[in-house]
Amino acid sequence: MDKLRSMEIFVAVVDQGSFTAAADSFRISPVMVGKHVKYLEQRLGTRLLTRTTRRQNLTEIGQQYVEQCRQILLQIAAAETGAEAMRATPRGKLKISAPVSFGSERIAPLMADYLTAYPDVSLELNLNDRMVDLVEEGYDAAIRIGALEDSSMVARPLRPYAMVICASPDYLARHGTPRTPGDLLDHECVDFMQWSRHMRWRLSDKEARHDGAPAESRFRSNNGQALRMAALHGFGIVMQAEILLADDIAAGTLVPILQDYVPAPRLMHLLYPRDRQPTPKLTTFIDFIMERYGPVVRPLPATLT
């Protein structure tokens, strides 16, 4: 038998004073009520009730047990109510993973708007360029850059992740402006440590690929902001995400170069576990991100008539 169901029926017997009354409440027979009570007594190895033809009384153990049953049933009801509330409105903690540059430059600034719109949601934003395991590490969603492996996760495409190559006006005035990837051999190129060796400074055009950067850069970092600051201070040439350098380019403190050779934009996706009934906190976050960074849908040209 279902132990919790038996507890519910036992509490009803005590509260309503008879097997018959409890049977009416649960729409079962008094005999079935008796079986539920007997089931509990057999599990506990003791009597819970003493019955005569006119009345029933709780044993000492029965008095203690019925109160414990009440507490258990109340806790279950509270848990179910809380779960239903989380399914009804956005609430609870969201744990999100995002790449450092995109997360700091684009996700973090928007989170004030999201959290203001949904005051019962809290957010844990983990900025890390490694590939986290959503299920193993308990993430609700993650933003990934690059091609995806086969996965059971839902993957929603975002706008591509564009790169740009820049240097400060001061650096270019002192060292000249490279015109082709091969010219980079004569320049300082600050290097991103997270790139695998076969991907670093892989520049391309319509004709061919080039690897023009020095074999070893004199300044390397695992943080795009650190490379940005080195370029801003005139040390060398930086290749980083356009979102990271866009304000500097607009202000003229960094100048785009080698624009015909910049690597093609990389794919970017929002990933989250497949769930038949995702929680409102996750669905609202997904909608929020997709509205702002989902693919731009261009209208079809008007048909000439």
Side-chain angles (χ1 to χ4, degrees):
M1 287 187 173
D2 185 328
K3 189 193 303 183
L4 291 175
R5 186 67 166 175
S6 297
M7 287 180 176
E8 289 179 316
I9 291 171
F10 173 59
V11 170
V13 168
V14 174
D15 289 345
Q16 298 180 34
S18 72
F19 281 30
T20 301
D24 291 341
S25 297
F26 287 91
R27 296 184 179 180
I28 58 177
S29 68
V31 172
M32 183 57 70
V33 171
K35 288 182 178 180
H36 279 282
V37 174
K38 186 176 181 180
Y39 164 73
L40 294 175
E41 291 178 333
Q42 288 174 340
R43 285 190 60 87
L44 297 170
T46 186
R47 295 289 297 276
L48 297 174
L49 289 168
T50 58
R51 299 180 66 206
T52 67
T53 55
R54 292 190 174 184
R55 57 186 302 179
Q56 64 184 27
N57 293 299
L58 286 167
T59 64
E60 183 178 0
I61 293 176
Q63 291 175 348
Q64 182 182 37
Y65 186 69
V66 75
E67 292 307 318
Q68 292 173 335
C69 287
R70 293 188 205 280
Q71 292 302 314
I72 290 170
L73 295 172
L74 285 173
Q75 288 175 355
I76 291 172
E80 290 176 343
T81 299
E84 289 172 359
M86 291 185 71
R87 287 286 181 187
T89 58
R91 66 177 67 229
K93 183 175 77 172
L94 269 173
K95 187 175 179 182
I96 307 298
S97 172
V100 175
S101 294
F102 185 77
S104 60
E105 294 295 318
R106 291 295 182 263
I107 301 299
L110 290 176
M111 288 303 96
D113 292 340
Y114 174 79
L115 294 173
T116 298
Y118 303 104
D120 293 329
V121 176
S122 60
L123 179 72
E124 182 178 307
L125 179 60
N126 189 313
L127 301 183
N128 198 313
D129 289 322
R130 71 179 179 87
M131 190 173 294
V132 301
D133 186 318
L134 272 71
V135 176
E136 188 71 22
E137 300 179 50
Y139 284 95
D140 293 287
I143 292 172
R144 293 263 173 87
I145 298 172
L148 297 175
E149 297 178 358
D150 290 339
S151 170
S152 61
M153 300 289 166
V154 178
R156 301 283 298 276
L158 302 175
R159 295 173 200 170
Y161 192 72
M163 305 296 289
V164 64
I165 304 170
C166 292
S168 71
D170 175 63
Y171 175 88
L172 297 175
R174 288 185 287 114
H175 298 281
T177 300
R179 303 298 179 186
T180 69
D183 294 341
L184 293 176
L185 292 169
D186 299 322
H187 288 267
E188 296 282 3
C189 298
V190 297
D191 211 354
F192 188 53
M193 292 169 58
Q194 299 298 102
W195 290 334
S196 60
R197 187 168 184 81
H198 75 278
M199 289 183 60
R200 52 187 295 272
W201 290 90
R202 295 292 292 177
L203 309 186
S204 64
D205 58 21
K206 294 180 180 179
E207 303 298 327
R209 285 190 169 275
H210 308 269
D211 187 357
E216 292 294 334
S217 297
R218 292 177 58 213
F219 179 59
R220 304 176 68 214
S221 177
N222 66 344
N223 184 275
Q225 284 286 3
L227 300 177
R228 167 180 170 264
M229 293 305 297
L232 283 170
H233 283 77
F235 176 75
I237 297 170
V238 62
M239 180 168 70
Q240 272 293 305
E242 186 177 32
I243 58 171
L244 182 63
L245 307 181
D247 290 344
D248 301 316
I249 293 171
T253 50
L254 287 178
V255 178
I257 60 174
L258 297 172
Q259 292 175 280
D260 291 336
Y261 301 94
V262 175
R266 301 172 68 194
L267 299 175
M268 186 163 60
H269 292 85
L270 175 63
L271 268 64
Y272 51 93
R274 198 174 299 277
D275 190 341
R276 291 181 181 178
Q277 292 183 310
T279 59
K281 67 177 181 180
L282 179 57
T283 56
T284 53
F285 179 80
I286 293 168
D287 292 343
F288 187 87
I289 295 300
M290 295 306 299
E291 181 180 343
R292 288 155 181 79
Y293 294 114
V296 176
V297 179
R298 302 187 184 281
L300 294 174
T303 302
L304 296 176
T305 57

